[in-house]
């Protein structure tokens, strides 16, 4: 009779297997894998010092590597995994930073820690994430804004809560749809897979950042129990972390073209400062057609984070045929982001600025100049955000006889990202003299203020802003999966799925400029403002700054050169809020950021699994069809009116995977599938939004088609020794439908939108004449013509057993990805006449967020007491998104991150650790325009060190 185990082995074969392996039950888990490839004898060998008689003992980091390889090898589809070394002992401090060690995966960092992933060149929006088998979304704040999309933010969770990550790179009919890149499974544990009796694990660390020079705690604990008869198991875990890090550097907020008041004493207009007619000349035209930084500035950004996570699991297996599990997960991620900037606001204010001694480079950039009548600005930004996530799920695995079994799986999750405070106060000095900028060294520009920026008498409190918002995502899921062993080596899988996803975004603003175009101020009605046309030291455009309303910034190591201005005054948040009564002002709807989407997915699948011998080769394969019907309802505000659009569409998604053992140690894989990803949530709104600072208007398109593609994969894997593999994988994706931006340049009045959708502090609102000028980029999203992607992944992993003595305790992991793609996007080109617009043209480039090259390498050492690891991750540069103001795309330069850790076991139960991340203090460099590479930002986050201890019982 064929061996049979409980239904839990096939409900999510790979995920269940890897959890069991993570808990140190590799042998049992191998038996629970659905028809795994037979392991060759040499794959079970181990060096003499790891054997006791016939017993094989593999511990620590090498155990996790072996478990991950077993999962990869046994799977029919293309799978990679990362497994905890032991209970509650994930190998990295951040889930995203672990994922980047998998071939084909790169990450994006926020505040110095990993946050989102890119898989095989496809950005975070193309990856679906499941927690304990249930799809979900988590969103947090990113940079100066929030993630309000389908992308999953991995920084929400503490890594100690998870026992494994599993990345499915190829599709199966039985695997949830919605991914062009990958499906990532996060697993929190399996108490019945652990040891009998009580297990307790606790760890405590202190975290120190050498830029902020602050310490923070990181603690975690797990309590698990398994009954003596193995029928009941329960576990709870908790993790808490608090950190305070800094981000220091410079920023330009893009580069732009514009006409100035004068250049080297040559007047460019018939009247000074405002009004009049442009007077062409060689000097004025050259300055107008060159690119200059819009807001050159240095600043300090503080990231104060607090992360709490809780998990709980109860499992009951009254017999080998029945298993019932209930799992819960709660996470709370709180962040305070504080920004302090000293800048000059060239953006939209070039008309009044006199340029002296401009210097131009070969890319038509005005890389240095002295500016008189400049608009000096200092900003203080404060945002408080909290993301609360919870998920409750249950599953019932049941065997009905020897050959038939089912799983019933269901659950709910909710991610509530709340920003109750997002406040900015602004000091202005709008006629400053002698300001100098010099971008000869584009990474470390010299920015020097000619007039004092530490004297409050030079400033007026000119703008106040507050933009609270809330993004809520909800998932409800129910699935039924069945499996029938038709005959030896032939299985039939049938299943059905229902999911409901609710996305709701609500945003408000209290923004206002203190002064309008003359009259009493718009905040306290206490001062008489000057007309906006008045220029000079007598102009009144805000409240007089005082020492009571101010605080001093002393810039630390931001990479600035000698001679840079490193101290300036900014508004004090609490004092300015009290003085202006900001938080008592009425909330107004932010029209473009009030929208919702409801998606209901109904579908099913059938899949055939085969396992047998073909031409003397052991062959495993699956093939099937997945059908889903998406019913979508999108709501947004258009011209102040709520509009809802309903639609539905269907997808038939065939897929096939095959794995053949060419030799006992050589596996050949191939796969082909139709895959899809649903459109971005922001693009589905029937509403519109307007940006009066950058002169942009955006409309959604609720009739967008999904991204649809055909994916091809092939791989060869050589398991040449225990814990060792060399693999090469080829992949190609033909993306048939690809939503792209479509835009035109026109007047604001042509949109029909009311001016109330513009921020009242923006130039587009304050100056009605600008609304009638054809300077507005009016943008929407349409169904594009498609794109192609192809690449290769190389991976090598091995312990160095061939070396003598203690050197045999070393080992290494290296992988590399080489990817290329082509996609067409519309971008505005530089103006060719002074004051001209940026006409859009199609440009062929790579897909956004695709790095053509990525490398990862880890060198490790491990003996019975001591272990050490050092890892290097390189990500090549990439285009991140479309740009504006005549810049063709914007993106990031290559970056290399270095991490290391050492551990020492004092006893079998107590371990000490020292870890370091970003040891080279790598700078994150962002640019605009793919050819000119004009500097956008260049920031660093410092090194983080963690010292701690771990106890296990």
């Amino acid at each position: 009779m064929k061996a049979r185990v409980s239904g839990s082995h096939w409900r999510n074969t790979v995920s269940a297997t890897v959890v069991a392996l993570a808990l140190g039950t590799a042998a049992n888990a191998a038996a629970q894998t659905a028809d795994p490839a037979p392991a060759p004898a040499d794959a079970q060998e181990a060096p003499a010092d790891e054997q006791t008689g016939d017993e094989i003992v593999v511990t620590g980091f090498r155990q996790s590597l072996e478990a991950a390889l077993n999962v990869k090898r046994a799977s029919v589809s293309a799978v990679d995994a990362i497994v905890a070394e032991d209970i509650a002992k994930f190998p990295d401090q951040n889930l995203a930073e672990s994922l980047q060690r998998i071939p084909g995966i790169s990450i994006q960092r926020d505040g110095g820690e990993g946050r989102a992933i890119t898989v095989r060149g496809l950005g975070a929006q193309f990856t679906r994430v499941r927690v304990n088998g249930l799809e979900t979304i988590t969103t947090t704040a990113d940079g100066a804004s929030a993630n309000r999309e389908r992308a999953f933010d991995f920084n929400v969770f503490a890594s100690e809560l998870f026992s494994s990550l599993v990345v499915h790179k190829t599709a199966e009919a039985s695997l949830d749809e919605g991914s062009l890149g990958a499906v990532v499974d996060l697993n929190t544990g399996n108490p019945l897979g652990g040891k009998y009796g009580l297990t307790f694990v606790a760890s405590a660390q202190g975290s120190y950042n050498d830029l902020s020079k602050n310490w923070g705690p990181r603690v975690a604990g797990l309590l698990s129990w398994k009954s003596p008869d193995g029928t009941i198991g329960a576990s709870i875990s908790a993790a808490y972390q608090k950190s305070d890090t800094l981000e220091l550097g410079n920023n330009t907020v893009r580069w732009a073209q514009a006409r100035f008041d004068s250049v080297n004493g040559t007047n460019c207009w018939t009247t000074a400062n405002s009004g009049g007619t442009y007077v062409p000349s060689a000097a004025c035209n050259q300055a107008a057609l060159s690119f200059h930084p819009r807001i050159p500035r240095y600043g300090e950004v503080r990231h104060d984070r607090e992360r709490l996570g809780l998990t709980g699991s109860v499992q009951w297996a009254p017999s080998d045929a029945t298993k019932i599990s209930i799992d819960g997960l709660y996470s709370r991620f709180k962040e305070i982001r504080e920004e302090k900037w000293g800048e000059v606001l060239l953006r939209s204010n070039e008309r009044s600025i006199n340029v002296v001694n401009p210097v131009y480079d070969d890319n038509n950039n005005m890389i240095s100049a002295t500016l008189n009548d400049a608009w000096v600005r200092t900003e203080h930004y404060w945002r408080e955000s909290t993301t609360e996530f919870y998920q409750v799920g249950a599953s019932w695995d049941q065997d009905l006889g020897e050959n038939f079994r089912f799983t019933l799986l269901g659950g709910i999750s909710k991610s509530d990202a709340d920003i109750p405070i997002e406040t900015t106060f602004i000091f202005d000095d709008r006629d400053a003299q002698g300001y100098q900028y010099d971008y000869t060294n584009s990474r470390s520009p010299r920015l020097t203020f000619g007039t004092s920026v530490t004297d409050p008498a030079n400033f007026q409190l000119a703008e106040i802003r507050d933009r609270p918002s809330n993004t809520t995502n909800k998932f409800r899921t129910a699935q039924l999966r069945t499996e029938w062993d038709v005959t030896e080596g032939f299985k039939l899988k049938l299943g059905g799925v229902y999911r409901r996803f609710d996305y709701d975004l609500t945003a408000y603003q209290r923004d206002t400029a203190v002064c309008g175009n003359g009259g009493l101020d718009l905040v306290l009605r206490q001062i008489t403002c000057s007309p906006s046309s008045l220029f000079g030291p007598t102009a009144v455009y805000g409240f007089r700054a005082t020492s009571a309303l101010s605080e001093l910034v002393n810039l630390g190591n931001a990479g600035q050169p000698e001679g840079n201005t490193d101290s300036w005054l900014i508004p004090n948040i609490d004092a300015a809020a009290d003085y202006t009564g900001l938080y008592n002002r009425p909330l107004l709807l932010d029209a473009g950021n009030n929208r919702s989407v409801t998606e209901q997915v109904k579908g099913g699948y059938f899949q055939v699994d085969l396992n047998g011998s073909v031409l003397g080769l052991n062959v495993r394969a699956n093939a099937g069809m997945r059908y889903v019907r998406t019913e979508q309802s999108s709501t947004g505000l258009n011209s102040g009116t709520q509009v809802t659009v309903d639609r539905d569409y269907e997808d038939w998604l065939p897929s096939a995977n095959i794995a053949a053992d060419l030799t006992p140690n050589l596996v050949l894989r191939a796969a082909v599938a139709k895959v899809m990803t649903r459109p971005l949530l922001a693009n589905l709104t029937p509403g519109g939004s307007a940006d009066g600072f950058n002169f942009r208007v955006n409309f959604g398109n609720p009739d967008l088609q999904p991204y649809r593609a055909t994916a091809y994969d092939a791989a060869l894997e050589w398991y040449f020794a225990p814990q060792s593999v060399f693999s090469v994988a080829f992949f190609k994706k033909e993306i048939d439908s690809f939503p792209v931006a479509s835009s035109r340049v026109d007047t604001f009045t042509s949109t029909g939108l009311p001016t109330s959708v513009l921020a009242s502090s923006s130039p587009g609102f304050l100056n009605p004449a600008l609304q009638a000028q054809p300077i507005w980029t009016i943008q929407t999203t349409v169904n594009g013509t498609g794109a192609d992607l192809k690449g290769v992944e190389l991976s090598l992993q091995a312990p160095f057993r061939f070396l003598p003595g203690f050197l045999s305790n070393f080992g290494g992991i290296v992988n590399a990805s080489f990817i290329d793609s082509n996609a067409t996007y519309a971008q505005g080109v530089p103006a060719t006449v002074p004051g001209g617009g940026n006409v859009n043209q199609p440009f062929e480039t790579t897909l956004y967020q695709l790095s053509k090259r990525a490398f990862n390498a880890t060198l490790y050492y491990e003996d019975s007491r001591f272990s050490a690891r050092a890892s290097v991750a390189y990500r090549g540069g990439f285009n991140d998104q479309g740009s504006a103001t005549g810049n063709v795309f914007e993106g990031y330069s290559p970056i290399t991150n270095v991490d290391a850790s050492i551990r020492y076991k004092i006893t079998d139960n107590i371990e000490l650790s020292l870890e370091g991340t970003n040891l080279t203090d790598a700078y994150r460099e962002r640019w605009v325009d793919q050819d000119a590479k004009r500097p956008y930002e260049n920031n660093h986050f410092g090194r983080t060190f963690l010292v701690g201890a771990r106890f296990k019982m």
Side-chain angles (χ1 to χ4, degrees):
M1 181 182 296
K2 184 173 63 175
R4 181 175 60 85
V5 294
S6 68
S8 60
H9 76 285
W10 55 268
R11 173 169 56 87
N12 189 328
T13 298
V14 173
S15 298
T17 301
V18 80
V19 170
L21 290 166
L23 296 173
T25 58
N28 184 45
Q32 293 185 354
T33 302
D35 296 325
D42 63 356
Q44 299 300 322
E45 293 177 0
D49 63 352
E50 291 182 353
Q51 298 189 36
T52 304
D54 294 330
E55 183 183 359
I56 303 166
V57 181
V58 184
T59 61
F61 184 60
R62 282 186 291 177
Q63 178 189 22
S64 73
L65 297 180
E66 182 177 65
L69 280 189
N70 287 342
V71 172
K72 180 181 181 71
R73 187 171 188 175
S75 176
V76 178
S77 58
V79 165
D80 282 289
I82 297 173
V83 180
E85 300 174 32
D86 201 350
I87 296 174
K89 188 181 177 184
F90 209 74
D92 290 277
Q93 299 297 323
N94 181 281
L95 297 178
E97 291 165 14
S98 284
L99 283 167
Q100 73 177 335
R101 316 210 188 286
I102 289 178
I105 295 184
S106 299
I107 69 171
Q108 284 185 290
R109 295 174 183 258
D110 177 27
E113 67 177 22
R115 178 164 179 259
I117 67 171
T118 296
V119 182
R120 290 182 166 179
L122 292 167
Q125 74 189 76
F126 297 106
T127 296
R128 297 281 71 80
V129 175
R130 305 188 302 187
V131 176
N132 294 329
L134 300 175
E135 182 180 352
T136 191
I137 293 177
T138 60
T139 60
T140 60
D142 176 29
S145 61
N147 168 23
R148 293 165 175 161
E149 277 303 333
R150 299 183 189 271
F152 186 93
D153 289 343
F154 287 88
N155 58 356
V156 169
F157 299 121
S159 61
E160 291 91 342
L161 302 177
F162 295 88
S163 57
S164 70
L165 307 178
V166 182
V167 180
H168 306 261
K169 293 181 179 177
T170 60
E172 297 183 20
S174 58
L175 189 66
D176 288 343
E177 85 294 334
S179 163
L180 262 63
V183 174
V184 177
D185 277 313
L186 310 180
N187 303 299
T188 60
N190 176 17
L192 284 183
K195 71 176 186 178
Y196 294 97
L198 192 67
T199 298
F200 174 70
V201 179
S203 64
Q205 293 177 304
S207 173
Y208 176 78
N209 180 267
D210 70 349
L211 200 59
S212 67
K213 303 189 184 305
N214 286 324
W215 285 88
R218 185 178 184 121
V219 295
L222 177 140
L223 184 65
S224 180
W225 176 80
K226 181 178 177 180
S227 65
D229 62 0
T231 61
I232 299 176
S235 67
I236 57 172
S237 67
Y240 176 81
Q241 180 188 13
K242 186 173 177 60
S243 63
D244 188 354
T245 61
L246 284 182
E247 174 183 346
L248 298 178
N250 64 81
N251 193 303
T252 64
V253 200
R254 293 200 311 273
W255 292 56
Q257 300 168 294
R259 295 173 293 184
F260 291 90
D261 190 41
S262 70
V263 179
N264 275 340
T266 300
N267 291 328
C268 302
W269 296 82
T270 55
T271 59
N273 299 321
S274 65
T277 304
Y278 182 72
V279 180
S281 67
C284 294
N285 290 350
Q286 184 179 18
L289 294 176
S290 68
F291 282 83
H292 60 268
R294 297 171 75 238
I295 311 178
R297 60 186 184 176
Y298 274 97
E300 171 189 295
V301 181
R302 179 170 69 94
H303 304 270
D304 188 355
R305 291 169 168 163
E306 184 181 40
R307 185 184 285 110
L308 171 68
L310 303 169
T311 71
S313 179
V314 177
Q315 294 181 318
W316 178 46
S319 70
D320 288 343
T322 303
K323 182 178 178 182
I324 296 174
S325 301
I326 300 175
D327 298 290
L329 171 64
Y330 171 82
S331 178
R332 187 190 69 203
F333 179 76
K334 300 177 70 174
E335 182 186 33
I336 293 175
R337 179 186 176 98
E338 183 180 21
E339 303 178 11
K340 303 175 180 180
W341 298 101
E343 62 199 29
V344 161
L345 196 69
L346 283 85
R347 181 203 69 198
S348 307
N349 298 309
E350 294 90 348
R351 174 64 186 84
S352 66
I353 294 175
N354 302 310
V355 178
V356 181
N357 298 326
V359 176
Y360 305 95
D361 67 7
D362 294 337
N363 288 317
N364 193 34
N365 299 315
M366 187 190 296
I367 59 172
S368 69
T370 297
L371 307 179
N372 293 321
D373 290 350
W375 190 314
V376 168
R377 167 168 289 186
T378 68
E379 296 187 36
H380 195 175
Y381 171 90
W382 181 279
R383 182 182 66 212
E384 299 177 11
S385 63
T386 301
T387 295
E388 284 195 292
F389 173 88
Y390 75 82
Q391 176 179 289
V392 178
S395 63
W396 173 23
D397 298 298
Q398 183 68 50
D399 288 12
L400 301 176
E402 294 289 331
N403 300 318
F404 187 81
R405 57 200 67 89
F406 71 81
T407 289
L408 185 62
L409 174 68
I412 59 173
S413 69
K414 180 180 179 182
S415 175
D416 189 352
D418 191 47
I419 303 177
I421 295 176
E422 187 174 358
T423 296
T424 305
F425 286 102
I426 289 172
F427 280 164
D428 277 350
D429 177 8
R430 299 182 179 179
D431 61 345
Q433 307 298 308
Y435 173 81
Q436 296 180 352
Y437 73 83
D438 186 352
Y439 279 84
T440 303
N441 180 348
S442 62
R443 295 183 175 183
S444 301
R446 179 177 56 81
L447 309 180
T448 306
F449 294 84
T451 52
S452 174
V453 287
T454 59
D455 183 355
N458 288 331
F459 287 111
Q460 298 180 41
L461 177 60
E463 286 186 32
I464 62 175
R465 304 174 191 164
D466 187 41
R467 299 174 179 177
S469 65
N470 177 271
T471 304
T472 300
N473 298 301
K474 298 178 183 177
F475 266 100
R476 300 176 180 89
T477 301
Q479 294 186 22
L480 175 64
R481 303 175 181 176
T482 67
E483 182 180 296
W484 176 31
D485 299 333
V486 180
T487 186
E488 186 73 26
F490 177 36
K491 297 180 187 292
L492 177 63
K493 297 179 179 179
L494 296 172
V497 62
Y498 170 82
R499 288 196 306 273
R500 178 181 170 123
F501 168 56
D502 292 286
Y503 160 82
D504 187 73
L505 169 61
T506 306
Y508 301 91
Q509 60 176 345
R510 294 185 172 102
D511 295 13
T512 185
V514 172
C515 287
N517 188 15
L520 291 178
D521 70 86
L522 305 177
V523 178
L524 301 178
R525 315 295 290 179
Q526 291 180 355
I527 62 173
T528 301
C529 301
S530 303
S532 56
S533 59
L534 181 63
F535 185 86
T538 62
V540 176
Y541 43 82
F543 302 116
R544 285 293 173 186
T546 63
S547 57
L549 291 176
S550 309
E551 63 182 79
L552 185 66
V553 175
N554 292 303
L555 185 66
N557 175 20
Q560 69 271 36
E562 293 291 331
N564 193 76
T565 298
D566 293 338
S567 298
W568 60 87
L569 285 180
I570 59 172
N572 179 281
I573 292 285
D574 291 337
D578 288 342
Y579 179 73
T580 61
L582 173 64
Y583 301 125
N584 295 322
R585 293 177 61 81
L587 286 170
L588 303 176
L589 278 177
D590 180 0
N593 283 314
N594 279 265
R595 55 180 180 267
S596 64
V597 177
T598 297
E599 289 177 349
Q600 292 192 84
V601 175
K602 304 170 185 176
Y605 67 88
F606 77 87
Q607 179 175 305
V608 174
D609 287 7
L610 303 173
N611 189 348
S613 180
V614 178
L615 300 177
L617 302 178
N618 181 55
V619 175
R620 293 158 289 136
N622 63 54
M625 176 73 73
R626 188 175 187 89
Y627 165 79
V628 288
R629 175 184 175 88
T630 304
E631 299 172 354
Q632 197 172 78
S633 179
S634 305
T635 300
L637 293 176
N638 197 320
S639 300
T641 301
Q642 182 170 292
V643 178
T644 299
V645 177
D646 297 324
R647 59 97 174 245
D648 59 75
Y649 52 87
E650 298 177 329
D651 284 276
W652 294 88
L653 304 170
S655 62
N657 293 266
I658 186 170
D661 298 323
L662 303 182
T663 72
N665 298 317
L666 193 63
V667 180
L668 175 67
R669 300 185 189 276
V672 61
K674 291 282 189 181
V675 292
M676 59 87 77
T677 290
R678 295 175 178 89
L680 290 173
L681 297 166
N683 292 343
L684 289 173
T685 176
S689 64
D691 179 355
F693 293 96
N694 297 300
F695 308 111
R696 288 185 181 182
V697 178
N698 289 285
F699 286 95
N701 182 354
D703 292 320
L704 284 177
Q705 293 298 310
Y707 300 82
R708 294 187 173 102
T710 304
Y712 305 92
D713 294 82
L716 190 64
E717 301 164 2
W718 179 29
Y719 298 87
F720 56 88
Q723 304 162 37
S724 305
V725 66
F726 172 73
S727 66
V728 56
F730 301 91
F731 53 89
K732 181 178 181 181
K733 298 184 190 293
E734 296 175 349
I735 304 174
D736 303 317
S737 61
F738 189 75
V740 295
S742 174
S743 62
R744 72 181 196 274
V745 177
D746 208 331
T747 64
F748 176 80
T749 54
S750 72
T751 67
L753 290 171
T755 57
S756 59
V757 303
L758 297 170
S760 60
S761 58
S762 67
F765 180 87
L766 293 172
N767 189 349
L770 294 175
Q771 300 167 18
Q773 294 183 20
I775 58 174
W776 295 77
T777 300
I778 302 167
Q779 191 170 50
T780 188
T781 305
V782 298
N783 295 307
T785 57
D788 290 318
L789 179 151
K790 57 186 176 182
V792 60
E793 295 171 357
L794 303 172
S795 180
L796 174 63
Q797 172 181 317
F800 298 164
R801 291 197 175 96
F802 54 87
L803 295 176
F806 79 95
L807 295 177
S808 64
N809 294 322
F810 281 94
I813 309 168
V814 294
N815 63 67
S817 301
F818 304 92
I819 309 173
D820 199 4
S821 71
N822 64 77
T824 300
Y825 301 94
Q827 286 286 278
V829 298
T832 56
V833 296
N838 305 121
V839 179
N840 282 298
Q841 293 183 5
F843 284 87
E844 187 173 290
T845 184
T846 60
L847 289 164
Y848 291 156
Q849 300 179 26
L850 183 146
S851 294
K852 290 189 174 183
R853 295 175 179 83
F855 308 98
N856 286 280
T858 297
L859 178 67
Y860 66 88
Y861 175 91
E862 188 168 57
D863 60 28
S864 60
R865 292 292 181 189
F866 179 78
S867 66
R869 275 179 283 152
S871 299
V872 178
Y874 166 86
R875 181 178 186 180
F878 60 95
N879 287 354
D880 184 51
Q881 60 185 10
S883 193
T885 59
N887 298 283
V888 180
F889 304 116
E890 56 190 59
Y892 291 85
S893 297
I895 189 169
T896 301
N897 290 98
V898 179
D899 306 324
S901 67
I902 58 175
R903 299 176 184 272
Y904 181 74
K905 288 185 177 180
I906 299 176
T907 69
D908 290 341
N909 298 324
I910 300 176
E911 181 182 71
L912 303 180
S913 64
L914 175 63
E915 303 175 55
T917 61
N918 192 27
L919 293 178
T920 60
D921 193 12
Y923 275 68
R924 182 184 66 191
E925 183 180 359
R926 189 177 179 186
W927 47 260
V928 291
D929 198 273
Q930 64 179 357
D931 294 325
K933 294 291 192 297
R934 300 179 181 104
Y936 193 124
E937 70 173 4
N938 192 40
N939 299 341
H940 72 134
F941 308 89
R943 304 167 182 84
T944 299
F945 300 94
L946 298 102
V947 57
R950 184 173 186 270
F951 173 78
K952 177 184 176 183
M953 180 183 72

